[in-house]
Amino acid sequence: MSINDLLRKRVSVRAFLDKPVLEETLKKIFTQAQLSPSNCNVQPWQIHVVSGAQKDALKEKLLQTVMSGKEPNPDFNWRTNYKGVHRDRQFGSANALYSAMGIERSDKQGRMVAMLRNWSFFDAPHVLFCTMEKYLNIMGAVDMGIYAQTLTLLMTEQGISSCIQGALGQFPDPIREFLNIPEERGILFGMSFGYADEKAAVNSTRTDREPVENSVIFLG
Ligand SMILES: Cc1cc2nc3c(=O)[nH]c(=O)nc-3n(C[C@H](O)[C@H](O)[C@H](O)COP(=O)(O)O)c2cc1C
């Protein structure tokens, strides 16, 4: 598949089949993802891939924390209050998701239940956590974003779907404890992945993009 085909095929998927990815396929994808570029080649990504019974146990632990009403305490600053066009696009993506799920804008409880699915990893067979040393801050986050895109495209090439989730960085404590992540390392975001349940309504969610003129200025 060409890069263009992969880019068009990749969408965020939020319902999965109960079918794990073969270990050798996982190894291949993560080995290839090591080719991602990073500032000064520091390769800050430390990735935890969790599957099977371990994933189920982590899900229970995480859901308990989320349902306890505890305030989010992310390791990195995720609290951007989007403004102007960014806010419009944020609403646009939420609308696309909730209308695909048949949830009305006014249905607060429905939206909350949909949001909670983040922390049950959308019932995916695998979840991963992207962690890096906290001191790296924005420089590390840039590298991690590039790494995540590399990973999603490699997965797409293998017919594997994914959803990058900032939500998985919101309640780091139970994850840190479960995975034995040292205090100096932070959880930036996570990703649920596996084979898409093509029949699930939520997976019909489609977002649009700005025309290139609104994002790119060509000079000369
Ligand atoms: C850094 C990042 C964090 C995201 N966090 C979440 C999340 O917590 N939950 C979720 O359902 N989708 C999340 N998404 C998916 C975006 O909503 C999605 O990429 C965007 O709406 C564009 O849709 P597409 O991926 O289908 O093209 C995240 C995406 C990125 C890149």
Side-chain angles (χ1 to χ4, degrees):
M1 244 184 282
S2 69
I3 301 263
N4 186 40
D5 289 342
L6 290 172
L7 286 168
R8 284 179 189 285
K9 193 151 186 257
R10 188 219 57 83
V11 289
S12 292
V13 157
R14 299 177 179 88
F16 296 86
L17 300 179
D18 184 14
K19 176 186 168 192
V21 177
L22 285 178
E23 208 177 308
E24 64 200 68
T25 311
L26 285 182
K27 288 241 168 77
K28 184 172 160 181
I29 289 170
F30 286 94
T31 303
Q32 289 173 334
Q34 289 296 99
L35 294 173
S36 289
S38 56
N39 191 40
C40 299
N41 200 26
V42 295
Q43 307 166 63
W45 45 83
Q46 295 282 295
I47 312 298
H48 295 257
V49 184
V50 193
S51 315
Q54 294 279 4
K55 187 249 330 170
D56 292 336
L58 175 57
K59 176 176 90 173
E60 291 311 319
K61 195 173 163 73
L62 184 55
L63 275 175
Q64 257 178 31
T65 302
V66 176
M67 305 280 278
S68 72
K70 192 177 177 285
E71 283 293 303
N73 63 334
D75 290 328
F76 300 95
N77 178 15
W78 268 99
R79 288 175 192 260
T80 307
N81 273 322
Y82 288 121
K83 298 180 199 160
V85 289
H86 303 138
R87 198 171 163 75
D88 296 343
R89 293 171 196 158
Q90 179 187 29
F91 283 148
S93 73
N95 257 341
L97 177 62
Y98 295 134
S99 15
M101 296 178 85
I103 298 171
E104 300 278 329
R105 260 218 83 72
S106 57
D107 180 2
K108 275 200 172 150
Q109 207 194 337
R111 279 164 42 201
M112 217 161 74
V113 171
M115 185 67 193
L116 268 178
R117 301 239 333 123
N118 272 288
W119 295 288
S120 55
F121 316 139
F122 303 119
D123 292 324
H126 310 277
V127 64
L128 65 82
F129 297 91
C130 292
T131 78
M132 64 176 199
E133 304 254 336
K134 290 178 184 166
Y135 84 92
L136 288 168
N137 211 330
I138 188 171
M139 288 315 296
V142 170
D143 298 335
M144 297 291 274
I146 292 173
Y147 176 87
Q149 171 73 333
T150 304
L151 204 53
T152 61
L153 294 181
L154 286 167
M155 285 181 180
T156 307
E157 192 182 30
Q158 298 294 328
I160 297 161
S161 297
S162 61
C163 185
I164 300 175
Q165 293 165 265
L168 295 183
Q170 294 291 314
F171 300 92
D173 300 346
I175 306 169
R176 174 183 309 288
E177 197 184 299
F178 193 90
L179 298 175
N180 233 335
I181 297 173
E183 199 51 49
E184 62 273 17
R185 245 203 284 144
I187 301 165
L188 191 56
F189 55 82
M191 187 193 290
S192 300
F193 66 96
Y195 296 100
D197 178 355
E198 305 288 357
K199 291 200 196 102
V202 67
N203 287 343
S204 64
T205 306
R206 291 295 176 271
T207 52
D208 53 17
R209 296 295 189 272
E210 290 293 307
V212 65
E213 311 79 81
N214 292 354
S215 305
V216 184
I217 297 166
F218 295 98
L219 186 64

